[in-house]
Structures are given as structure tokens and as C-alpha cells.
Coordinates of all heavy atoms in Angstrom, one line a residue:
M1 N -8.3 0.0 -17.0 CA -7.7 0.3 -15.5 C -8.4 -0.6 -14.6 O -9.7 -1.0 -14.6 CB -8.1 1.8 -15.2 CG -7.4 2.2 -13.9 SD -7.9 3.9 -13.5 CE -7.1 4.8 -14.8
S2 N -7.4 -1.2 -13.7 CA -8.1 -2.1 -12.6 C -8.8 -1.3 -11.6 O -8.6 -0.2 -11.4 CB -6.8 -3.0 -12.0 OG -6.1 -2.1 -11.2
V3 N -9.5 -2.2 -10.7 CA -10.1 -1.5 -9.5 C -9.0 -0.9 -8.7 O -9.3 0.2 -8.1 CB -10.9 -2.7 -8.8 CG1 -11.3 -2.2 -7.4 CG2 -12.2 -3.2 -9.6
F4 N -7.9 -1.6 -8.5 CA -6.8 -1.1 -7.7 C -6.4 0.2 -8.2 O -6.4 1.3 -7.3 CB -5.8 -2.1 -7.7 CG -4.5 -1.7 -7.0 CD1 -4.5 -1.6 -5.7 CD2 -3.4 -1.4 -7.6 CE1 -3.4 -1.2 -4.9 CE2 -2.2 -1.0 -6.9 CZ -2.2 -1.0 -5.5
E5 N -6.0 0.4 -9.4 CA -5.7 1.7 -9.9 C -6.7 2.8 -9.8 O -6.5 3.9 -9.5 CB -5.3 1.5 -11.4 CG -4.1 0.5 -11.6 CD -3.8 0.2 -12.9 OE1 -4.5 0.7 -13.9 OE2 -3.1 -0.7 -13.1
A6 N -8.1 2.5 -10.2 CA -9.1 3.3 -10.2 C -9.3 3.9 -8.7 O -9.5 5.1 -8.4 CB -10.4 2.7 -10.7
E7 N -9.2 3.0 -7.7 CA -9.4 3.5 -6.3 C -8.3 4.4 -5.8 O -8.4 5.3 -5.2 CB -9.6 2.2 -5.5 CG -10.9 1.4 -5.5 CD -12.0 2.2 -5.0 OE1 -11.9 3.2 -4.2 OE2 -13.2 1.9 -5.3
L8 N -7.0 4.0 -6.2 CA -5.9 4.8 -5.9 C -6.2 6.3 -6.5 O -5.9 7.2 -5.7 CB -4.6 4.3 -6.5 CG -3.9 3.2 -5.7 CD1 -2.7 2.7 -6.5 CD2 -3.5 3.6 -4.3
K9 N -6.6 6.4 -7.7 CA -6.9 7.6 -8.3 C -7.9 8.5 -7.5 O -7.9 9.7 -7.5 CB -7.3 7.5 -9.7 CG -6.2 7.3 -10.8 CD -6.6 7.8 -12.1 CE -5.3 7.7 -12.9 NZ -5.5 8.1 -14.3
N10 N -8.9 7.7 -6.8 CA -9.8 8.3 -6.0 C -9.4 8.6 -4.6 O -10.1 9.0 -3.7 CB -11.1 7.5 -5.9 CG -11.9 7.6 -7.3 OD1 -11.9 8.6 -7.9 ND2 -12.5 6.5 -7.6
G11 N -8.1 8.3 -4.3 CA -7.4 8.4 -3.0 C -7.7 7.5 -2.1 O -7.5 7.5 -0.8
R12 N -8.0 6.2 -2.5 CA -8.2 5.1 -1.6 C -7.2 4.0 -1.9 O -7.3 3.5 -2.9 CB -9.6 4.6 -1.7 CG -10.6 5.4 -1.0 CD -12.0 4.8 -0.9 NE -12.6 4.6 -2.2 CZ -13.2 5.5 -2.8 NH1 -13.6 6.6 -2.3 NH2 -13.9 5.3 -4.1
F13 N -6.5 3.4 -0.8 CA -5.7 2.3 -1.1 C -6.4 1.2 -0.7 O -6.7 0.8 0.5 CB -4.5 2.5 -0.3 CG -3.4 1.4 -0.3 CD1 -3.4 0.6 -1.5 CD2 -2.6 1.1 0.7 CE1 -2.3 -0.4 -1.6 CE2 -1.7 0.1 0.7 CZ -1.6 -0.6 -0.5
V14 N -6.8 0.4 -1.7 CA -7.7 -0.9 -1.6 C -6.7 -2.1 -1.8 O -5.8 -2.0 -2.8 CB -8.9 -0.9 -2.4 CG1 -9.9 0.1 -1.9 CG2 -8.6 -0.9 -3.8
I15 N -7.0 -3.2 -1.2 CA -6.2 -4.5 -1.4 C -7.3 -5.5 -1.7 O -8.4 -5.4 -1.4 CB -5.3 -4.8 -0.2 CG1 -6.2 -4.9 1.1 CG2 -4.3 -3.7 0.0 CD1 -5.5 -5.4 2.3
S16 N -6.9 -6.6 -2.3 CA -7.9 -7.7 -2.5 C -7.7 -8.8 -1.5 O -6.6 -9.1 -1.1 CB -7.6 -8.1 -4.0 OG -6.2 -8.5 -4.2
E17 N -8.8 -9.4 -1.2 CA -8.7 -10.4 -0.3 C -9.7 -11.6 -0.8 O -10.7 -11.3 -1.2 CB -9.3 -9.8 1.1 CG -9.1 -10.8 2.3 CD -9.4 -10.1 3.6 OE1 -10.6 -9.4 3.6 OE2 -8.7 -10.1 4.4
C18 N -9.2 -12.8 -0.7 CA -10.1 -13.9 -1.0 C -11.0 -14.3 0.2 O -10.5 -14.6 1.3 CB -9.3 -15.1 -1.4 SG -10.3 -16.6 -1.7
P19 N -12.5 -14.1 0.0 CA -13.2 -14.4 1.2 C -13.2 -15.9 1.5 O -13.5 -16.4 2.7 CB -14.6 -14.1 0.6 CG -14.4 -13.8 -0.9 CD -13.1 -13.7 -1.2
R20 N -12.8 -16.8 0.6 CA -13.0 -18.3 0.8 C -11.7 -18.7 1.7 O -11.8 -19.4 2.7 CB -12.9 -19.1 -0.5 CG -13.3 -20.5 -0.3 CD -13.4 -21.3 -1.6 NE -14.2 -20.7 -2.6 CZ -14.2 -21.2 -3.9 NH1 -13.4 -22.2 -4.3 NH2 -14.9 -20.5 -4.7
C21 N -10.4 -18.2 1.2 CA -9.2 -18.5 1.8 C -8.9 -17.6 3.0 O -8.0 -17.8 3.7 CB -8.0 -18.4 0.9 SG -8.2 -19.5 -0.5
Q22 N -9.6 -16.4 3.0 CA -9.3 -15.4 4.0 C -8.0 -14.9 4.0 O -7.2 -14.9 5.1 CB -9.8 -15.9 5.5 CG -11.4 -16.2 5.4 CD -11.9 -16.4 6.9 OE1 -11.3 -17.0 7.7 NE2 -13.0 -15.7 7.2
K23 N -7.4 -14.7 2.8 CA -6.0 -14.3 2.7 C -6.2 -13.1 1.7 O -6.8 -12.9 0.9 CB -5.3 -15.5 1.8 CG -4.8 -16.5 2.7 CD -3.8 -17.3 1.9 CE -3.3 -18.3 2.8 NZ -2.8 -19.5 2.3
V24 N -5.1 -12.2 2.1 CA -4.9 -11.0 1.2 C -4.1 -11.4 0.1 O -3.1 -12.1 0.1 CB -4.1 -10.0 2.1 CG1 -3.6 -8.8 1.1 CG2 -5.0 -9.4 3.1
I25 N -4.5 -11.0 -1.2 CA -3.8 -11.4 -2.3 C -2.9 -10.2 -2.8 O -3.6 -9.1 -3.1 CB -4.8 -11.8 -3.4 CG1 -5.8 -12.9 -3.1 CG2 -4.1 -12.3 -4.8 CD1 -5.2 -14.2 -2.5
W26 N -1.6 -10.4 -2.8 CA -0.9 -9.2 -3.1 C 0.3 -9.8 -4.0 O 0.9 -10.7 -3.6 CB -0.1 -8.6 -2.0 CG 0.4 -7.3 -2.0 CD1 1.9 -7.2 -2.2 CD2 0.0 -6.0 -2.4 NE1 2.2 -5.9 -2.4 CE2 1.1 -5.3 -2.7 CE3 -1.3 -5.4 -2.4 CZ2 0.9 -3.8 -2.9 CZ3 -1.4 -4.1 -2.8 CH2 -0.3 -3.3 -3.1
P27 N 0.6 -9.1 -5.1 CA -0.1 -7.9 -5.8 C -1.5 -8.0 -5.9 O -1.9 -9.2 -6.2 CB 0.8 -7.8 -7.1 CG 1.8 -8.7 -7.0 CD 1.8 -9.7 -6.0
P28 N -2.3 -6.9 -6.0 CA -3.6 -7.1 -6.0 C -4.1 -7.8 -7.3 O -3.6 -7.5 -8.4 CB -4.1 -5.6 -6.1 CG -2.8 -4.7 -6.4 CD -1.7 -5.5 -5.9
S29 N -5.2 -8.6 -7.2 CA -5.7 -9.3 -8.4 C -7.2 -9.5 -8.0 O -7.7 -9.6 -6.9 CB -5.0 -10.6 -8.4 OG -5.7 -11.5 -9.2
E30 N -8.0 -9.7 -9.2 CA -9.4 -10.0 -9.1 C -9.6 -11.4 -8.8 O -10.7 -11.8 -8.5 CB -10.0 -9.5 -10.3 CG -10.0 -8.0 -10.5 CD -10.7 -7.5 -11.7 OE1 -11.5 -8.2 -12.4 OE2 -10.3 -6.4 -12.1
F31 N -8.5 -12.2 -8.8 CA -8.6 -13.7 -8.7 C -7.7 -14.0 -7.5 O -6.6 -13.7 -7.6 CB -8.4 -14.5 -9.9 CG -9.4 -14.1 -11.0 CD1 -9.1 -13.2 -12.0 CD2 -10.6 -14.5 -11.0 CE1 -9.9 -12.8 -13.0 CE2 -11.5 -14.2 -12.0 CZ -11.1 -13.3 -13.0
C32 N -8.1 -15.1 -6.7 CA -7.2 -15.5 -5.6 C -6.2 -16.4 -6.4 O -6.5 -17.3 -7.1 CB -8.2 -16.4 -4.8 SG -7.2 -17.3 -3.6
T33 N -4.9 -16.3 -5.9 CA -3.9 -17.2 -6.4 C -3.8 -18.5 -5.8 O -3.2 -19.3 -6.2 CB -2.5 -16.4 -6.1 OG1 -2.4 -16.0 -4.7 CG2 -2.3 -15.2 -6.8
H34 N -4.7 -18.7 -4.9 CA -4.8 -20.0 -4.2 C -6.0 -20.8 -4.8 O -5.8 -22.1 -5.2 CB -4.9 -20.0 -2.7 CG -3.8 -19.2 -2.2 ND1 -2.6 -19.6 -1.8 CD2 -3.8 -17.9 -1.7 CE1 -1.7 -18.7 -1.4 NE2 -2.5 -17.6 -1.3
C35 N -7.2 -20.4 -4.8 CA -8.3 -21.1 -5.2 C -8.8 -20.6 -6.5 O -9.8 -21.2 -6.9 CB -9.3 -21.1 -4.0 SG -10.2 -19.5 -3.9
F36 N -8.3 -19.5 -7.1 CA -8.8 -18.9 -8.3 C -10.2 -18.5 -8.2 O -10.8 -18.2 -9.3 CB -8.7 -19.9 -9.5 CG -7.3 -20.5 -9.6 CD1 -7.0 -21.9 -9.2 CD2 -6.2 -19.6 -10.1 CE1 -5.7 -22.3 -9.2 CE2 -5.0 -20.2 -10.0 CZ -4.6 -21.5 -9.8
G37 N -10.8 -18.3 -6.9 CA -12.1 -17.6 -6.9 C -12.0 -16.1 -6.9 O -10.8 -15.5 -7.1
N38 N -13.0 -15.4 -7.0 CA -13.1 -13.9 -7.1 C -12.6 -13.3 -5.7 O -13.1 -13.8 -4.7 CB -14.5 -13.4 -7.5 CG -14.7 -13.7 -8.8 OD1 -13.8 -13.5 -9.7 ND2 -16.0 -14.2 -9.2
T39 N -11.9 -12.3 -5.7 CA -11.5 -11.6 -4.5 C -12.4 -10.4 -4.3 O -13.3 -10.0 -5.3 CB -10.1 -11.0 -4.7 OG1 -10.0 -10.2 -5.8 CG2 -9.0 -12.2 -4.7
V40 N -12.5 -9.9 -3.1 CA -13.3 -8.6 -2.7 C -12.2 -7.6 -2.5 O -11.1 -7.8 -2.0 CB -14.2 -9.0 -1.6 CG1 -15.3 -9.9 -2.0 CG2 -13.4 -9.4 -0.4
W41 N -12.6 -6.2 -2.7 CA -11.7 -5.3 -2.4 C -12.1 -4.6 -1.1 O -13.3 -4.3 -0.8 CB -12.0 -4.3 -3.5 CG -11.4 -4.8 -4.9 CD1 -12.2 -5.4 -5.9 CD2 -10.1 -4.9 -5.4 NE1 -11.5 -5.9 -6.8 CE2 -10.1 -5.5 -6.6 CE3 -8.8 -4.4 -4.9 CZ2 -9.0 -5.8 -7.4 CZ3 -7.8 -4.8 -5.7 CH2 -7.7 -5.3 -6.8
R42 N -11.1 -4.2 -0.4 CA -11.4 -3.4 0.9 C -10.1 -2.5 1.2 O -9.1 -2.7 0.6 CB -11.5 -4.5 2.0 CG -10.3 -5.2 2.4 CD -10.4 -5.8 3.8 NE -9.3 -6.7 4.1 CZ -8.2 -6.3 4.6 NH1 -7.9 -5.0 4.9 NH2 -7.3 -7.2 4.9
T43 N -10.5 -1.5 2.0 CA -9.3 -0.5 2.2 C -8.4 -1.2 3.1 O -8.7 -2.0 4.0 CB -9.8 0.8 2.8 OG1 -10.8 0.4 3.9 CG2 -10.6 1.5 1.8
V44 N -7.1 -0.9 3.1 CA -6.0 -1.5 3.8 C -6.1 -1.0 5.3 O -6.8 0.2 5.6 CB -4.8 -1.0 3.3 CG1 -4.3 0.4 3.5 CG2 -3.6 -2.0 3.7
N45 N -5.7 -1.7 6.3 CA -5.8 -1.4 7.6 C -4.5 -0.5 7.9 O -3.4 -0.9 7.6 CB -5.7 -2.5 8.5 CG -7.1 -3.4 8.4 OD1 -8.1 -2.8 8.2 ND2 -6.9 -4.7 8.8
E46 N -4.7 0.8 8.4 CA -3.7 1.6 9.0 C -3.7 1.5 10.3 O -4.6 1.2 11.1 CB -4.0 2.9 8.4 CG -4.0 3.1 6.9 CD -4.1 4.6 6.4 OE1 -3.2 5.4 6.5 OE2 -5.2 4.9 5.8
P47 N -2.6 2.1 11.1 CA -1.2 2.5 10.3 C -0.4 1.2 9.7 O -0.6 0.2 10.2 CB -0.6 3.1 11.3 CG -0.9 2.5 12.7 CD -2.5 2.0 12.5
G48 N 0.5 1.6 9.0 CA 1.6 0.7 8.5 C 2.9 0.9 9.4 O 2.8 1.8 10.4
T49 N 3.9 0.2 9.0 CA 5.1 0.2 9.7 C 6.2 0.7 8.9 O 6.3 0.1 7.8 CB 5.3 -1.1 10.3 OG1 4.3 -1.5 11.2 CG2 6.7 -1.0 11.3
L50 N 7.0 1.6 9.3 CA 8.2 2.0 8.4 C 9.3 0.8 8.4 O 9.7 0.6 9.5 CB 8.8 3.4 9.1 CG 9.9 4.0 8.3 CD1 9.3 4.5 7.0 CD2 10.4 5.3 9.0
V51 N 9.6 0.4 7.3 CA 10.5 -0.6 7.1 C 11.9 -0.1 6.7 O 12.9 -0.5 7.2 CB 10.1 -1.6 5.9 CG1 11.1 -2.7 5.7 CG2 8.7 -2.1 6.3
E52 N 11.9 0.9 5.8 CA 13.3 1.4 5.3 C 13.0 2.8 4.9 O 11.9 3.2 4.5 CB 13.6 0.8 4.0 CG 14.5 -0.3 4.1 CD 14.8 -0.9 2.6 OE1 15.1 -0.2 1.7 OE2 14.6 -2.2 2.7
Y53 N 14.0 3.7 5.0 CA 13.9 5.0 4.5 C 15.1 5.5 4.0 O 16.2 5.0 4.4 CB 13.4 6.0 5.4 CG 14.1 6.1 6.7 CD1 15.1 7.2 6.9 CD2 13.9 5.3 7.8 CE1 15.9 7.3 7.9 CE2 14.8 5.3 9.0 CZ 15.8 6.4 9.0 OH 16.7 6.4 10.1
S54 N 15.1 6.5 3.0 CA 16.4 7.2 2.7 C 15.9 8.4 2.1 O 14.8 8.9 1.9 CB 16.8 6.3 1.4 OG 15.9 6.3 0.4
S55 N 17.1 9.3 1.8 CA 16.7 10.7 1.4 C 17.6 11.0 0.2 O 18.7 10.5 0.0 CB 17.1 11.7 2.4 OG 18.3 11.8 2.8
K56 N 17.0 11.7 -0.7 CA 17.7 12.0 -1.9 C 17.3 13.5 -2.4 O 16.1 13.8 -2.4 CB 17.3 11.0 -3.0 CG 18.3 11.1 -4.3 CD 17.8 10.2 -5.3 CE 18.6 10.5 -6.6 NZ 18.0 9.8 -7.7
D57 N 18.2 14.3 -2.6 CA 17.9 15.6 -3.1 C 17.0 16.4 -2.1 O 16.1 17.1 -2.5 CB 17.4 15.7 -4.4 CG 18.3 15.1 -5.5 OD1 19.5 15.1 -5.3 OD2 17.8 14.4 -6.5
G58 N 17.1 16.1 -0.9 CA 16.3 16.7 0.1 C 15.0 16.3 0.4 O 14.1 16.9 1.0
K59 N 14.6 15.2 -0.4 CA 13.4 14.5 -0.3 C 13.6 13.1 0.4 O 14.5 12.5 0.1 CB 12.7 14.2 -1.6 CG 12.2 15.5 -2.4 CD 11.5 15.2 -3.6 CE 11.0 16.5 -4.2 NZ 10.4 16.2 -5.5
M60 N 12.5 12.8 1.1 CA 12.6 11.4 1.9 C 11.8 10.5 1.1 O 10.6 10.8 0.8 CB 12.4 11.7 3.3 CG 13.2 12.5 4.0 SD 13.3 12.1 5.9 CE 14.3 10.7 5.8
F61 N 12.1 9.2 1.1 CA 11.5 8.2 0.6 C 11.5 7.0 1.5 O 12.3 6.9 2.3 CB 12.1 7.7 -0.8 CG 12.2 8.7 -1.9 CD1 13.2 9.7 -1.9 CD2 11.1 8.9 -2.7 CE1 13.3 10.7 -2.9 CE2 11.1 10.0 -3.6 CZ 12.0 10.8 -3.8
C62 N 10.4 6.2 1.4 CA 10.4 5.0 2.4 C 9.5 4.0 1.9 O 8.9 4.0 0.9 CB 9.8 5.5 3.8 SG 8.0 6.0 3.6
M63 N 9.8 2.9 2.6 CA 9.1 1.6 2.3 C 8.2 1.4 3.6 O 8.8 1.3 4.7 CB 9.9 0.3 1.9 CG 9.1 -0.9 1.7 SD 10.1 -2.2 1.4 CE 10.6 -1.9 -0.3
V64 N 6.9 1.2 3.4 CA 6.0 0.9 4.5 C 5.4 -0.5 4.3 O 4.9 -0.8 3.2 CB 5.0 2.1 4.6 CG1 3.9 1.8 5.7 CG2 5.7 3.5 4.7
E65 N 5.2 -1.2 5.5 CA 4.5 -2.4 5.5 C 3.2 -2.3 6.0 O 3.0 -1.7 7.2 CB 5.4 -3.4 6.1 CG 4.8 -4.8 6.1 CD 5.8 -5.9 6.5 OE1 6.7 -6.4 5.7 OE2 5.6 -6.3 7.8
F66 N 2.2 -2.9 5.4 CA 0.8 -2.9 6.0 C 0.4 -4.4 6.2 O 0.7 -5.2 5.4 CB -0.2 -2.2 5.0 CG 0.0 -0.8 4.9 CD1 0.8 -0.3 3.9 CD2 -0.6 0.1 5.8 CE1 1.0 1.1 3.7 CE2 -0.3 1.5 5.6 CZ 0.3 2.0 4.6
E67 N -0.3 -4.7 7.3 CA -0.9 -6.0 7.6 C 0.1 -7.1 7.5 O -0.1 -8.2 7.2 CB -2.1 -6.2 6.7 CG -3.2 -5.0 6.8 CD -4.3 -5.3 6.0 OE1 -4.7 -6.6 5.8 OE2 -5.1 -4.4 5.8
N68 N 1.4 -6.7 8.0 CA 2.5 -7.7 8.0 C 2.8 -8.4 6.7 O 3.4 -9.3 6.6 CB 2.3 -8.7 9.1 CG 2.2 -8.1 10.5 OD1 3.0 -7.3 10.8 ND2 1.2 -8.5 11.4
S69 N 2.2 -7.8 5.5 CA 2.6 -8.5 4.3 C 2.6 -7.6 3.1 O 3.4 -8.1 2.1 CB 1.4 -9.6 4.1 OG 0.2 -8.9 4.0
I70 N 2.1 -6.5 3.2 CA 2.1 -5.6 1.9 C 3.0 -4.5 2.1 O 2.9 -3.7 3.1 CB 0.6 -5.0 1.7 CG1 -0.4 -6.1 1.7 CG2 0.6 -4.1 0.7 CD1 -1.8 -5.6 1.9
R71 N 4.0 -4.5 1.1 CA 5.0 -3.4 1.2 C 4.8 -2.4 0.0 O 4.8 -2.9 -1.1 CB 6.4 -4.0 1.2 CG 6.6 -4.7 2.5 CD 8.0 -5.3 2.6 NE 8.4 -5.7 3.9 CZ 9.6 -5.9 4.4 NH1 10.6 -5.7 3.7 NH2 9.7 -6.3 5.6
V72 N 4.9 -1.2 0.2 CA 4.7 -0.1 -0.8 C 5.8 0.9 -0.6 O 5.9 1.3 0.6 CB 3.3 0.4 -1.1 CG1 2.4 -0.7 -1.5 CG2 2.8 1.1 0.2
M73 N 6.2 1.5 -1.6 CA 7.2 2.6 -1.7 C 6.4 3.9 -1.7 O 5.4 4.0 -2.4 CB 8.1 2.5 -2.7 CG 8.9 1.3 -2.8 SD 10.3 1.2 -1.8 CE 11.1 2.6 -2.4
G74 N 7.0 5.0 -1.2 CA 6.4 6.4 -1.4 C 7.2 7.5 -0.7 O 8.3 7.1 -0.3
S75 N 6.8 8.6 -0.8 CA 7.5 9.7 -0.3 C 7.2 9.9 1.2 O 5.9 9.6 1.6 CB 7.2 11.0 -1.1 OG 5.9 11.3 -1.2
L76 N 8.1 10.4 1.9 CA 7.8 10.6 3.4 C 7.7 12.0 3.9 O 8.8 12.7 3.5 CB 8.9 9.7 4.2 CG 8.8 9.8 5.7 CD1 7.5 9.1 6.2 CD2 10.0 9.0 6.3
H77 N 6.7 12.4 4.6 CA 6.6 13.8 4.9 C 6.5 14.1 6.3 O 6.0 13.2 7.0 CB 5.5 14.4 4.0 CG 5.5 14.3 2.7 ND1 6.1 15.3 1.8 CD2 5.1 13.2 1.8 CE1 5.9 14.7 0.6 NE2 5.4 13.5 0.6
D78 N 6.8 15.3 6.7 CA 6.5 15.8 8.2 C 7.2 14.7 9.0 O 6.7 14.4 10.2 CB 5.0 15.8 8.5 CG 4.2 16.7 7.4 OD1 4.9 17.7 7.0 OD2 3.1 16.3 7.0
N79 N 8.3 14.3 8.8 CA 9.1 13.4 9.7 C 10.4 13.7 9.8 O 11.3 13.2 9.1 CB 8.9 11.8 9.1 CG 9.0 10.7 10.0 OD1 9.7 11.1 11.1 ND2 8.6 9.7 9.8
K80 N 10.8 14.5 10.9 CA 12.0 14.9 11.2 C 13.1 13.9 11.6 O 14.2 14.0 11.4 CB 12.1 16.1 12.2 CG 11.3 17.4 11.7 CD 12.1 18.4 11.0 CE 11.4 19.6 10.8 NZ 10.5 19.5 9.5
S81 N 12.5 13.0 12.3 CA 13.4 11.9 12.9 C 12.9 10.5 12.6 O 12.2 9.9 13.5 CB 13.7 12.1 14.4 OG 12.4 12.2 15.0
P82 N 12.9 10.1 11.3 CA 12.3 8.7 11.0 C 13.0 7.6 11.7 O 14.2 7.6 12.0 CB 12.4 8.6 9.5 CG 13.3 9.6 9.2 CD 13.5 10.7 10.2
A83 N 12.2 6.5 12.1 CA 12.9 5.3 12.7 C 12.1 4.1 12.2 O 10.9 4.2 12.1 CB 12.8 5.6 14.2
V84 N 12.9 3.2 11.9 CA 12.4 1.8 11.4 C 11.5 1.4 12.5 O 11.7 1.4 13.8 CB 13.5 0.9 11.2 CG1 12.9 -0.6 11.0 CG2 14.3 1.3 9.9
G85 N 10.3 0.9 12.2 CA 9.4 0.4 13.2 C 8.3 1.4 13.5 O 7.3 1.2 14.2
Q86 N 8.5 2.6 13.1 CA 7.6 3.7 13.4 C 6.2 3.5 12.7 O 6.2 2.9 11.6 CB 8.2 5.1 12.9 CG 7.6 6.3 13.3 CD 8.3 7.5 12.7 OE1 9.0 7.5 11.6 NE2 8.4 8.6 13.3
K87 N 5.2 4.0 13.4 CA 3.8 3.8 12.8 C 3.6 5.0 11.8 O 3.9 6.1 12.0 CB 2.7 3.9 13.8 CG 2.8 2.7 14.9 CD 2.6 1.4 14.1 CE 2.8 0.3 14.9 NZ 3.1 -1.0 14.3
I88 N 3.2 4.5 10.6 CA 3.0 5.5 9.4 C 1.6 5.4 8.8 O 0.9 4.3 8.8 CB 4.0 5.0 8.3 CG1 5.4 5.2 8.8 CG2 3.8 5.8 7.0 CD1 6.0 6.5 9.0
K89 N 1.0 6.6 8.4 CA -0.3 6.6 7.7 C -0.1 7.1 6.3 O 0.9 7.8 6.0 CB -1.2 7.4 8.6 CG -1.0 8.9 8.6 CD -2.1 9.6 9.5 CE -1.7 11.0 9.8 NZ -1.6 12.0 8.8
I90 N -1.0 6.9 5.6 CA -1.1 7.3 4.2 C -1.7 8.8 4.1 O -2.9 8.9 4.6 CB -2.0 6.4 3.3 CG1 -1.5 5.0 3.3 CG2 -2.0 6.9 1.9 CD1 -2.3 4.0 2.8
S91 N -1.0 9.8 3.8 CA -1.6 11.0 3.7 C -2.2 11.4 2.3 O -3.1 12.2 2.2 CB -0.5 12.3 4.0 OG 0.7 12.0 3.4
S92 N -1.7 10.8 1.3 CA -2.4 10.8 0.0 C -1.9 9.7 -0.8 O -0.8 9.1 -0.7 CB -2.2 12.1 -0.7 OG -0.9 12.3 -1.0
C93 N -2.7 9.2 -1.9 CA -2.3 8.4 -2.8 C -2.9 8.7 -4.2 O -3.9 9.4 -4.3 CB -2.5 6.8 -2.3 SG -4.3 6.5 -2.2
G94 N -2.5 8.0 -5.3 CA -2.8 8.3 -6.5 C -2.2 7.2 -7.6 O -1.5 6.3 -7.0
F95 N -2.5 7.4 -8.7 CA -1.8 6.4 -9.7 C -1.5 7.3 -10.9 O -2.3 7.8 -11.6 CB -2.9 5.3 -10.1 CG -2.3 4.2 -10.9 CD1 -1.7 3.2 -10.3 CD2 -2.3 4.2 -12.2 CE1 -1.0 2.2 -10.9 CE2 -1.7 3.3 -12.9 CZ -1.0 2.2 -12.3
D96 N -0.2 7.1 -11.3 CA 0.2 7.8 -12.5 C 1.3 6.9 -13.1 O 2.5 7.0 -12.7 CB 0.8 9.1 -12.2 CG 1.3 9.8 -13.5 OD1 0.9 9.4 -14.7 OD2 2.0 10.8 -13.5
K97 N 0.9 5.9 -14.0 CA 1.8 4.7 -14.4 C 2.1 3.8 -13.3 O 2.1 2.5 -13.5 CB 3.1 5.3 -15.2 CG 2.8 6.1 -16.3 CD 4.2 6.3 -17.1 CE 4.0 7.2 -18.2 NZ 4.1 8.6 -17.9
Y98 N 2.5 4.3 -12.2 CA 2.7 3.4 -10.9 C 1.9 3.9 -9.8 O 1.5 5.2 -9.8 CB 4.2 3.5 -10.6 CG 5.1 3.1 -11.8 CD1 5.7 4.0 -12.6 CD2 5.3 1.7 -12.0 CE1 6.5 3.7 -13.6 CE2 6.1 1.4 -13.1 CZ 6.7 2.4 -13.9 OH 7.5 2.1 -14.9
P99 N 1.6 3.1 -8.8 CA 1.0 3.7 -7.6 C 1.9 4.7 -7.0 O 3.2 4.6 -6.9 CB 1.0 2.4 -6.7 CG 1.0 1.2 -7.6 CD 1.9 1.7 -8.8
Q100 N 1.3 5.8 -6.4 CA 1.9 6.9 -5.9 C 1.4 7.0 -4.4 O 0.2 7.0 -4.2 CB 1.6 8.2 -6.5 CG 1.6 8.2 -8.0 CD 3.2 8.2 -8.6 OE1 3.9 9.0 -8.0 NE2 3.4 7.6 -9.8
F101 N 2.4 7.2 -3.5 CA 1.9 7.2 -2.1 C 2.7 8.4 -1.4 O 3.9 8.6 -1.7 CB 2.2 5.9 -1.3 CG 1.4 4.8 -1.8 CD1 1.9 3.9 -2.5 CD2 0.1 4.7 -1.3 CE1 1.0 2.8 -3.0 CE2 -0.7 3.5 -1.6 CZ -0.2 2.6 -2.6
A102 N 2.1 9.1 -0.5 CA 2.8 9.9 0.3 C 2.4 9.6 1.8 O 1.2 9.4 2.1 CB 2.3 11.5 0.1
F103 N 3.3 9.5 2.5 CA 3.2 8.9 3.9 C 3.6 10.1 5.0 O 4.5 11.0 4.7 CB 4.2 7.7 4.2 CG 3.9 6.6 3.3 CD1 4.7 6.3 2.3 CD2 2.7 5.8 3.5 CE1 4.4 5.1 1.5 CE2 2.4 4.8 2.6 CZ 3.2 4.4 1.6
S104 N 3.1 9.9 6.1 CA 3.5 10.7 7.3 C 3.3 9.8 8.5 O 2.6 8.9 8.6 CB 2.6 12.0 7.3 OG 1.3 11.9 7.4
P105 N 4.0 10.5 9.7 CA 3.8 9.7 10.9 C 2.3 9.5 11.3 O 1.6 10.5 11.2 CB 4.6 10.6 11.9 CG 5.4 11.4 11.0 CD 4.8 11.7 9.8
A106 N 2.0 8.5 11.9 CA 0.6 8.3 12.3 C 0.4 8.9 13.7 O 1.3 9.1 14.4 CB 0.4 6.8 12.4
Ligands
LIG201 ZN1 -8.8 -18.2 -2.3

């Protein structure tokens, strides 16, 4: 299991960043895709921004962008009138074959 997956299981959304290039490496990797150096893990900066949303069978799903580069999908809660551009926080996360996210308005 990668650091990324293990941290998600602990309820922390961490991303990898190259200290030399000062770039976020996404998808998460232990190595920088530019200089091949080791990356460091840190928690993502919140809130994110709502990019897209849809509903199916009474449940809402959305895509949220963090730090202008990282996009993740998840379920959307406590949001009666979602709007693209809305600030969104992570209410919970986990890992079960795929990253799992639950979002709510920030
Ligand atoms: Zn690098």
C-alpha cells in the first residue's frame, strides 16, 4: 500500500510535492516526474472548488479541484444548492480499491 492510500485510510488526504522543483506531483508518486528525486508528502490545502456535480438515485456526486491542479471525485453532502465555483471541504476520506471522498460546503 502506498503512503497516499495509507493516509487516506487514516482520514488524511495527502499529496506529493517535489522539494527541488517545488511542484505538486499528481497522480501521487514517491518520485518527481520532472527530476526523479524523492517527493515529500503533505496534506492538501483546503478548501477546494466545485468543478462539476450531478445526482443519481437521490445521491449527489461531484468533482472538486484543489490547488488549481488536483481533481478528485466524491460524494457531495449537505449541499441543497450546489454551484460551480463553490468552496468545498473534505468531510471524510478513505480508501477501498479506489480513493473515497465525501465533500460538503466549506
Ligand atoms: Zn522534481
